[in-house]
Amino acid sequence: MFNILRARLQQGHRTMDYPKGPPPPLPERFRGRPILDASKCPPECRKCAEACPTDAITFTGGAPKIDLGRCIFCTDCLEACPEDAISYSGDYRLAVNSRKDLVVGPDTELNLAKALDEKLLRLFGRSLKLKQVSAGGCNACESDVNVLGTVGWDLGRFGIQMVASPRHADGLLVTGCVTQNMELALEKAYAAVAPPKIVIAVGACAIAGGPFLHNPQQLGGAESVIPVDLYIPGCPPHPLTILDGLLSLLGKLEAKKKPTQK
């Protein structure tokens, strides 16, 4: 017993300071929000769009746009672009409230997620229970969601907890592209959550089908079955991206985000 207590004291405080302190360092190979430089795009060149496996890149009036909901953050577009007009930033903040806000151009400012309205914040701001539904995922997004429950992240310190039953939940956290076999299960899980309720789509699959976009056995994400209140893109999104989205929805990051949006 004494050896256990001594070892625990030697370990010290292991939970990160974020959001009160700086975010944890991200690996060098981390790929955040894609950056488009339309000034470098050769006329009539569409090589990046042709290379994209999920049709995330489109051109409107000659200018490229990227759908972050479809983007799987691979490097196919970078390798196909002859002028290095596409790059990845280190910005992990990607969560939004509206699906249309995920479609951005070279000069588009990403409209980051805002907090719930005052009534819902009174209900969920201090205690949010979520039922996680894997509706046909590969287990990558599910794994990164689970990371938030570890001692280093400690999601529970914000009053956010994962529960076993939708009847005990305030909302659903959906991962996976929603296969035909999971459609009814997702509908029933949503119906079992007492109103008012929220739905969070985590990952490219849950938003738009991800790499399975063209597979006829999937439905193209959670919104094809139930309404969605928060979209967190990525394939999979980094745990920090997921945490940023959840805390933004609960109004715990607004003070930190305002300076960066000026």
Side-chain angles (χ1 to χ4, degrees):
M1 174 63 74
F2 289 110
N3 290 335
I4 294 175
L5 292 174
R6 183 169 61 250
R8 183 65 189 91
L9 289 172
Q10 290 174 345
Q11 290 173 357
H13 187 267
R14 306 177 95 181
T15 304
M16 66 184 68
D17 292 332
Y18 180 82
K20 292 182 178 180
L26 296 170
E28 292 183 4
R29 61 181 181 177
F30 172 77
R31 293 193 286 269
R33 178 189 170 183
I35 302 298
L36 302 173
D37 188 349
S39 65
K40 294 183 178 180
C41 289
E44 307 302 326
C45 178
R46 300 292 184 270
K47 290 184 178 180
C48 58
E50 294 169 358
C52 181
T54 58
D55 301 331
I57 302 176
T58 57
F59 282 79
T60 304
K65 287 188 175 181
I66 184 165
D67 185 345
L68 297 179
R70 288 191 173 196
C71 180
I72 59 174
F73 294 76
C74 67
T75 58
D76 287 2
C77 57
L78 275 69
E79 295 170 1
C81 180
E83 301 295 334
D84 296 327
I86 303 177
S87 60
Y88 283 99
S89 70
D91 192 352
Y92 59 85
R93 302 168 305 158
L94 297 169
V96 300
N97 299 112
S98 174
R99 178 68 178 88
K100 64 180 181 181
D101 288 335
L102 288 174
V103 181
V104 296
D107 301 318
T108 305
E109 187 70 25
L110 188 61
N111 189 18
L112 295 173
K114 296 178 175 59
L116 297 166
D117 61 47
E118 185 177 347
K119 180 181 178 180
L120 291 179
L121 275 182
R122 286 200 302 268
L123 290 172
F124 304 143
R126 299 180 65 182
S127 177
L128 178 64
K129 313 296 183 185
L130 296 172
K131 167 60 180 174
Q132 197 269 317
V133 179
S134 179
C138 70
N139 226 22
C141 292
E142 292 84 350
S143 295
D144 277 358
V145 170
N146 289 342
V147 166
L148 296 177
T150 61
V151 67
W153 297 82
D154 191 14
L155 187 63
R157 63 191 163 122
F158 305 108
I160 306 173
Q161 293 180 330
M162 300 296 170
V163 295
S165 171
R167 298 189 184 280
H168 301 157
D170 302 310
L172 302 180
L173 188 150
V174 184
T175 56
C177 56
V178 186
T179 62
Q180 293 179 2
N181 288 340
M182 281 300 296
E183 180 181 10
L184 181 59
L186 183 57
E187 288 178 346
K188 288 187 173 183
Y190 181 75
V193 180
K197 47 193 169 186
I198 60 176
V199 175
I200 301 166
V202 175
C205 287
I207 296 174
F212 311 105
L213 175 68
H214 302 295
N215 192 311
Q217 295 180 339
Q218 61 85 37
L219 304 179
E223 199 171 39
S224 63
V225 180
I226 56 177
V228 175
D229 301 284
L230 181 68
Y231 302 82
I232 306 179
C235 189
H238 192 278
L240 185 57
T241 301
I242 302 173
L243 180 61
D244 172 80
L246 294 175
L247 296 183
S248 297
L249 195 67
L250 298 180
K252 299 181 183 294
L253 287 182
E254 288 187 339
K256 284 184 171 294
K257 282 188 175 180
K258 285 178 182 177
T260 63
Q261 291 179 340
K262 289 182 180 179

